[in-house]
Amino acid sequence: MSDVSWQRPYKDELLSSWLARVALHSGCDPLTLTGAIWPKWRMWTADSDRGLTAPRAMSAALWFGCAPEVVHAATLQELVDRLAGRAARSRPVLPWILTLGIRNRQHYAGLPCCPQCLAYDREPFFRRAWRLAFVVGCEVHGTRLIDRCPDCHALIAPHLCISQLQSLARCATCGQDMRRYVPPPTEVDALDFQRSAMAVLAAGEAAWGNCTVSALEWFRRIRGMLIPSRCPVARADMQEPALRPNDLLLEMQSPREREARLCHLAAILRGDALPTSSYAKRKSGESVHPVAKELVQADWERWLRRNRLW
């Protein structure tokens, strides 16, 4: 692995994406590569993108010939600290960070991506920003993120790709190239809020009423407004199967459901009674993804047996 592009993650690349990408480039499965780096740790049975311990980051750094800081920078830990504070690191569900619902190597949620970004990449990779709960669309292409294969509707899980696929842009279940798919446009309200939230995250502070608050406080207040009773994912006039009432947290929902909530939130922040975005009626000709396998595994096994996490 003398090529520097394989010894470093791309800008904003997730740790899991980097490892899976290098594995496929090396002609092996991700499980084989991580087993060589961490012989006594089953990396893919945990959400390693949330952060690594210092010894594990050092093991990866020695393997790739880079500094441990490079490995840490590919995780979500720095974003978690800026969005929810260091104290939130130990929570089962991190505020504003999508949770994948990992059980062994299987996931209850897919890893979101923009197929068009994957198509333009020198080598397809998954961004850290796509794990943010308020990121529902691609700001470059204006299309909604997807978390399922457009062909077989399986959850997107790059870590399950086998070496024969040779690219993270291929579905690990059916092998189809997701780069051929062009998703529908993201709702304007949701994309505008997403841009505002990214600006607050970058600035570290934001205006709230007549005062300025820290980004940490701004995200805390906004998250409190996103409860289902105030920002539901479905209304009586919505017929899409992808939009139906459930009690999952924002961080556990699909891009389509989160997009609907953010549209409601944008309407509340404007002082409108109802959102003005066009998602209230199904767009003609828009393909709709089914809710999922067995109603998203019975809504994550009734929110993991009512929050006792099994």
Side-chain angles (χ1 to χ4, degrees), residues 137 141-144 182-188 191 256 259 283 286:
H141 300 104
T143 53
R144 186 185 306 144
V182 179
T186 314
E187 292 295 340
V188 174
L191 199 56
R256 186 69 181 101
E259 180 187 47
K283 299 172 183 170
E286 178 181 331

Side-chain angles (χ1 to χ4, degrees), residues 136-156:
V136 296
C138 175
E139 296 184 17
V140 176
H141 300 104
T143 53
R144 186 185 306 144
L145 301 185
I146 64 171
D147 62 353
R148 300 191 192 185
C149 170
D151 290 279
C152 71
H153 302 300
L155 296 174
I156 295 175

Side-chain angles (χ1 to χ4, degrees), residues 116-135:
Q116 291 181 286
C117 283
L118 299 181
Y120 282 99
D121 287 340
R122 172 186 171 190
E123 184 70 20
F125 68 95
F126 286 71
R127 280 71 163 162
R128 292 193 311 154
W130 293 342
R131 284 288 303 269
L132 297 175
F134 58 80
V135 174

Side-chain angles (χ1 to χ4, degrees), residues 22-64:
V22 171
L24 299 190
H25 172 72
S26 304
C28 67
D29 300 341
L31 186 63
T32 302
L33 175 66
T34 55
I37 299 174
W38 300 289
K40 297 182 179 180
W41 181 43
R42 299 175 63 202
M43 171 192 163
W44 301 113
T45 62
D47 189 352
S48 56
D49 288 329
R50 289 177 52 146
L52 293 179
T53 62
R56 286 169 179 164
M58 179 59 73
S59 297
L62 292 173
W63 182 272
F64 287 107

Side-chain angles (χ1 to χ4, degrees), residues 75-89:
T75 70
L76 298 165
Q77 197 166 81
E78 175 257 343
L79 288 174
V80 172
D81 292 348
R82 290 162 62 192
L83 287 165
R86 293 176 62 92
R89 288 185 184 182

Side-chain angles (χ1 to χ4, degrees), residues 13-25:
E13 183 173 15
L14 277 170
L15 174 66
S16 59
S17 169
W18 178 30
L19 294 170
R21 180 171 59 83
V22 171
L24 299 190
H25 172 72

